[in-house]
Structure formats: C-alpha cells, structure tokens
Amino acid sequence: MLTLLASASVLAAGPSLAAPELPVLPPIRREAQITYVDRTGAVIGVRGGRFAPPVDLAKLPAHVPAAFVAIEDRRFWEHTGFDPRGIARAIVVAAGEGRATQGASTITQQLARHLYLSQDRTLERKATELLYAVQLERTYSKRQILGMYLSRVYFGSGAYGLEAAAQRYFNKPAAKLTIAEAAMLAGVLKSPVNYHPIEQADASWSRARLVMDIMVETGAITPAQRTQAAAKKPTVWKTAPNAPAQYFIDWLDGETRRLVGNPKQDLVIETTLDGQLERAAASAARRVVGASVPAAAQAAVVSVDGAGRVRAMVGGLDYAKAPYNRAAVAKRQAGSAWKPFVYLTALEAGWTPDMPVVDEPVTIGTWSPQNYDEGFQGPITLERAVASSVNTVAARTADLVGRPAIAQTARRLGIASSVNTDPAMALGTSLVTPLEMTQAYAVFANGGHRVQAYGIERIRTPAGKLLYQRRPPTWTPVTANPALSNLNRMLRAVITTGTGQRAAFPGYDLAGKTGTTSDYKDAWFCGYTGGFATCAWMGRDDNAPMGRITGGGAPAELWKAVMTTAVKRLPMQPIPAGRAPPPPEPQILQASAPEAAESIEEPDAETEVPATN
C-alpha cells in the first residue's frame, strides 16, 4: 500500500522529484474482425476478434464521449493518467478492510487494465496499472486513449465496445446516439449486471439521468438539453435486432474463410441480405408459429432473387437459444412441395395442363398412395390435380415419365442432395434443405435459368480496398417453354383455387405449392413471383408430429407475410413467360477470387412415405 501511495505522490509531484522508472508498454494485441453488412451497408454482425478498432471521436457527436468522461473520469482531460486523491481514498479503505475494494481508476487506468492486466483487485496489480497509465499518457494523446477505451469496455449482452453496444441496444451506429442513449450506455459501465438496459431497466434509466446531471455540472450539456433528453426514456431493443441474421452469417462464414483464410486485418463483407426483410421474416415466423403451431415447433424461411442473391434466411425462431440453421443445414422431406419437379418432367415430355387424368386408386408394386382428403375425384385435368395436390395422379405421373428422369430434373433445377427413385419419391420423400428448395423454385421465377444461391457480393478492407468481388451471373437455361409456362399456370392455380389460397394477396403474379408430410412432421409452402422465390418450412427438430399443421395453413400464412414485405422492398415483375433473364444490376468488376461454392451435406438414410397435400 505504501509503495503505491509513494509512487502516486512522486508522479503527482512532477519534475521536482525523480519519477520512478516506467515499464515499457507491452504491444497492444487485437484480433482482426470481420464485419458483415447488408445490401444497404448496415451492420448485421461481426465475427473474429472481440474488440473493434479504436473509436474515432471525430465521427461522434460531442455529447457521446462527454457522457463517459462525466461519469467515469470527469478530470480526464486534465490529469496525467491517475487521480492521486482517488488512489489515496482507495488505499485508506483497503487498509481498513484488509483488501482492495474501491477502484478509483481513471479512464486511462481502466484502459491499461483492459489492454495489459487482469481484473484482480490487488495492490500490486493496482501499482502496475498506475505506471502503465502514466506511460500510456506519455505515448498517446487523450483522444487516442479515450478512443481505445471506448472500443474495449463491456456493456453486457455480449457487446464489447461502444459501436457494438449502440447496435445491440438501439439498432443504430454510435454516431447517431442521442444524449439520453449515450448517458444510458455510459451508466452501464459501473456494472453491466446491475444497470443492464433490458434486465434492470429502471436502474439503468435512473443512472442515465445521473449521468446527464453530471454532464450539466461539467458543462457538456445545458440544463435545457438535460431536461429535454430526460423527458423520454430511450427505446431499447429487448432482442438484438441483428439476431435473426446470425443464421445467415453462420452460413457465409465458411465461405468467407475459404476466400480470405485467417485474416490479419479487419475486413468488411458486403452481403446480399436485405436487413429489413430479414427482420420482418423472423418476426413473422415467431408470430405465426406462436399463434398456430404446437409447442416446440420451429420454422425456417429462405428468400432468393432470380439471380441467386439470398435476401432473407431465417434458420429458426431464436438464434440465442438454438443456433442450428434449419434453413441451410436441416434436411427434411419436402412432401408435395416436390411435385413441381414431377410435373415439369411430364410437361417437358409433352403433357399439358388440360390433359385429362383420373384420380382413382393406384398401386405401384406393393405401394398404394392415399390422398390427403379421403375419396377420389375421378376424371379431372392435370391442372386440377396439381391445384388439389392429388397424390394418386402424382404417383402415376412419376411412374409413367420415369422417376430417374424426375431426379435428373430436380438436380438440373438445383437440388444437390441425394434423390431417391422409389415409387414414393413422387410425393416428396427425398430429404432436402429449405435453401435447396428455394433456389430450385427461383428457376421458375426467373424464366428458367439455373440459380446458385449466394450471399457474398464483395470483400474489402474498412478503407475500401477491394479484395473479392463476385462475378456477374451466367444465365444458363435449364428448362424451356412451353413446359415452364404451363407449370407456372398450374402453380398459379394452387394459390387461386387450390390448397394454397391462404398465401394469396392482390396485385401480384403469384404461384406456389403446399407440402405436408406423414403424420404432419413437416409443412411447407414454396412459391414465387417474377424474379423472387421464398420457401417457408415448419417442423420439430425431433421430427415429432405437429398436430394437423399443413402446408396450406401456417406455412402459407408465413410465406404471405414475408412476400408482402418483399414486394414492397425489392423490384418485382410478373412471372417471366420464357427464358429472358431479369434485368441485370449495374456492371460489377471481374472477381479476383473463385466464385462461392455451396457445400451441402449428404442426406440421412432413413425416409418415410408422406401423406402430402
């Protein structure tokens, strides 16, 4: 204790006394961060190192750093790294209690601790902290010290640094924080547990008002500004606004590492995601599942435009509780959402929507498929069979056109998982991911061109140096008219008069297909408009039944909720009649690295026969 007090006294006395020899500052270590942004440039997530680069104070409103200085170290701009009065007070208390219980640390001392030391409350650590603080003040400017400090402190909820905290609690960059928001974040630092903006909302707001009082005392704001700022408590996001996008980032992370390896510098990944659509899709999934589906059910949503850009990817209802990505990884039976592959194969063989077929008992080998609704309709058209999702007609069609040919069609359209060719494959017994299904349906949406779903547009440094840019898409036709136009006609009927009527909304050209598997274990709705496709899936992770949840129910409602948001945010058009590609986006540079390549797991061996609709 005496050593610490003596060192502080000598340092405070200035040049009249010989200053103690200061230690050489260890190197400041910080792992590189990879920042992912959506198509508008908004941050959707960060991977890699915990700490961001030092905060640039010049880019912040003056009240933001002032809030932290006011509550943490009001003499920050005057002292040389430590506060002798505070240290003396802490030592007296420690002597009385036999241990160090008070910090009295300046911002510079706190930074020294964050950069170089442990959090142990010992006098030896405190003495070293003090010496490092003085050396920091001699090495860096006050603004640099404050910038490093604001990039390292912890705000709770996994948010390290000011920028991460602003995004987590207020869904905005630190440069846009209000006085009240800045005061609330500054107040958290004393105890991220006791002053947590969500879990201890009243205590957090009370301390924020205290911060604003001190800001008035220090001249950082006026009394009028304080009164105005304290009049309304800031709105705090209870759930991290970017939480749904973490499924998408997890999907991209492996591809990012393949392209850039283990980065030695900070990088920015410009993605295809539409952040607002992503949040809307996640919110709709929670709402629809909560209102319509039994407990323990999950949902997944994928939206892909006609060029393959993933615009939304919801891998589950709560990333924090269950980060398993059901959109890109989970393989489930597609049920009748698979039938478009069956009927496209038939249409390419010369069948037509008006061709007469018969809904009657069918036996193929030892298998006799049943319809979702009991009974048989007798003679109907092929279009009616699709709209009503008649299983007997789909099974007979597959048997006639050949199941190996259907498997080839599915692969041509983008299904990469193994496709079985037993009789029940016509009803969707193959295991596929929602991502695969969406990129396949995107072929129907873009005029018949192969789609490879992707999420990375560019990789650059924060300063703007381009390291990777995806090549423009190559338009490869994989199906043609009249088969494609006829399929679109039949899938439109699913929504207008068939099993998918709950997906309908006016003003847009819509088509799609429902899917429900045996014992209601999986429910799907996959559909599209011009240049845009979305698939919604629901099911349980343990593959247990969900009750009587069908694809034409909750999944169709979820699909409708997502698509009604999408059509307002992204360019839409009628479903193309032929092979013409959608209008290209502005020309981009030649890629400097190989194109992203999707990796999809092999399916599980076990399958079952669904009763689909």
Side-chain angles (χ1 to χ4, degrees):
M1 290 184 290
L2 294 176
T3 300
L4 177 58
L5 186 56
S7 297
S9 299
V10 171
L11 288 168
S16 60
L17 294 175
E21 182 178 350
L22 296 177
V24 176
L25 291 176
I28 297 176
R29 302 189 183 280
R30 188 181 73 84
E31 295 180 14
Q33 285 190 332
I34 300 176
T35 300
Y36 290 85
V37 299
D38 71 6
R39 64 191 295 265
T40 69
V43 174
I44 56 174
V46 178
R47 294 288 191 270
R50 175 179 292 174
F51 304 114
V55 172
D56 185 352
L57 300 189
K59 296 181 179 179
L60 298 177
H63 61 257
V64 175
F68 291 87
V69 171
I71 194 65
E72 289 293 312
D73 184 6
R74 68 170 67 188
R75 287 183 290 275
F76 170 73
W77 299 106
E78 290 77 38
H79 65 60
T80 58
F82 65 97
D83 179 359
R85 285 178 291 175
I87 292 175
R89 183 174 63 252
I91 291 175
V92 170
V93 173
E97 300 188 9
R99 61 190 179 92
T101 59
Q102 292 190 9
S105 294
T106 65
I107 282 176
T108 313
Q109 287 176 265
Q110 292 181 54
L111 177 61
R113 187 189 321 140
H114 285 299
L115 291 176
Y116 308 122
L117 302 169
S118 71
Q119 299 296 318
D120 296 336
R121 289 181 177 270
T122 65
L123 291 175
E124 291 77 11
R125 194 272 293 160
K126 194 73 177 177
T128 305
E129 173 189 295
L130 185 151
L131 296 176
Y132 277 154
V134 175
Q135 187 71 296
L136 280 168
E137 293 270 351
R138 295 181 179 182
T139 306
Y140 300 100
S141 71
K142 287 284 189 179
R143 294 177 68 83
Q144 288 175 316
I145 289 171
L146 185 54
M148 286 189 284
Y149 171 80
L150 291 176
S151 72
R152 296 259 171 172
V153 285
Y154 182 59
F155 292 88
S157 292
Y160 286 87
L162 177 63
E163 189 64 37
Q167 296 284 354
R168 166 60 187 87
Y169 295 118
F170 304 116
N171 192 32
K172 62 172 61 174
K176 294 185 178 181
L177 289 172
T178 66
I179 291 174
E181 291 166 346
M184 182 174 284
L185 292 182
V188 170
L189 296 187
K190 182 178 181 180
S191 173
V193 173
N194 294 329
Y195 298 106
H196 193 281
I198 301 167
E199 298 172 4
Q200 302 295 335
D202 291 341
S204 176
W205 182 228
S206 177
R207 185 159 175 82
R209 292 197 299 269
L210 172 63
V211 173
M212 289 186 280
D213 289 341
I214 300 175
M215 292 175 73
V216 172
E217 293 177 14
T218 60
I221 59 175
T222 67
Q225 286 177 308
R226 190 268 181 211
T227 300
Q228 183 180 10
K232 184 178 180 181
K233 182 179 178 181
T235 299
V236 179
W237 287 64
K238 292 185 178 180
T239 302
N242 294 329
Q246 303 316 299
Y247 292 108
F248 174 72
I249 295 174
D250 284 351
W251 174 60
L252 291 185
D253 200 47
E255 181 64 12
T256 299
R257 302 291 177 173
R258 186 186 73 79
L259 292 171
V260 301
N262 187 19
K264 305 300 182 184
Q265 61 180 331
D266 293 336
L267 297 175
V268 176
I269 311 296
E270 297 181 8
T271 76
T272 61
L273 197 75
D274 185 290
Q276 290 193 34
L277 178 60
E278 175 79 355
R279 288 190 292 274
S283 177
R286 290 191 297 269
R287 183 181 71 252
V288 174
V289 170
S292 308
V293 184
Q298 280 289 344
V301 177
V302 181
S303 292
V304 175
D305 72 15
R309 304 175 189 90
V310 176
R311 299 303 196 185
M313 178 182 284
V314 178
L317 300 181
D318 189 332
Y319 180 85
K321 293 181 180 179
Y324 177 61
N325 191 343
R326 298 155 190 85
V329 178
K331 297 203 172 188
R332 308 290 296 224
Q333 292 187 343
S336 289
W338 181 267
K339 288 178 182 175
F341 309 145
V342 175
Y343 289 113
L344 180 61
T345 306
L347 293 168
E348 289 176 336
W351 296 36
T352 68
D354 297 318
M355 177 180 290
V357 292
V358 181
D359 176 16
E360 61 184 357
V362 172
T363 298
I364 302 172
T366 59
W367 177 58
S368 298
Q370 301 297 312
N371 291 326
Y372 176 77
D373 295 323
E374 294 182 1
F376 304 95
Q377 301 182 49
I380 54 175
T381 64
L382 192 67
E383 180 175 319
R384 188 69 238 156
V386 174
S388 300
S389 201
V390 177
N391 288 338
T392 58
V393 173
R396 176 171 286 165
T397 300
D399 195 51
L400 291 173
V401 301
R403 290 180 292 276
I406 295 168
Q408 291 177 4
T409 297
R411 291 210 171 278
R412 189 169 13 115
L413 296 176
I415 299 298
S417 296
S418 296
V419 177
N420 68 67
T421 55
D422 59 41
M425 72 92 75
L427 307 188
T429 56
S430 295
L431 302 177
V432 291
T433 67
L435 178 62
E436 287 179 280
M437 291 293 286
T438 311
Q439 71 180 10
Y441 272 69
V443 175
F444 310 147
N446 73 9
H449 298 82
R450 175 67 182 257
V451 170
Q452 177 64 57
Y454 72 95
I456 298 176
E457 293 282 16
R458 299 171 189 85
I459 301 176
R460 59 174 173 82
T461 66
K465 181 181 178 182
L466 189 65
L467 303 179
Y468 166 81
Q469 188 148 8
R470 188 176 175 86
R471 296 186 181 96
T474 300
W475 298 105
T476 304
V478 291
T479 187
N481 284 331
L484 179 58
S485 292
N486 284 334
L487 180 69
N488 290 334
R489 169 186 160 183
M490 295 195 298
L491 296 184
R492 286 187 184 100
V494 172
I495 293 179
T496 57
T497 63
T499 58
Q501 294 182 57
R502 292 173 75 172
F505 57 93
Y508 293 90
D509 187 9
L510 307 175
K513 187 69 189 75
T514 56
T516 312
T517 62
S518 287
D519 299 323
Y520 306 97
K521 294 180 179 179
D522 299 274
W524 298 72
F525 191 88
C526 292
Y528 54 99
T529 187
F532 199 83
T534 293
C535 279
W537 165 88
M538 294 179 185
R540 288 173 52 116
D541 289 340
D542 60 5
N543 208 33
M546 292 187 293
R548 294 185 66 83
I549 300 299
T550 68
E557 292 178 8
L558 175 54
W559 183 89
K560 176 181 177 179
V562 174
M563 290 294 284
T564 52
T565 299
V567 296
K568 298 173 183 176
R569 293 194 49 76
L570 298 164
M572 299 294 167
Q573 59 190 3
I575 297 170
R579 286 180 171 175
E585 291 198 342
Q587 185 69 26
I588 59 177
L589 301 176
Q590 182 73 14
S592 57
E595 289 193 48
E598 187 182 17
S599 176
I600 302 179
E601 297 177 359
E602 286 301 312
D604 298 331
E606 183 179 353
T607 62
E608 60 182 313
V609 178
T612 65
N613 78 310

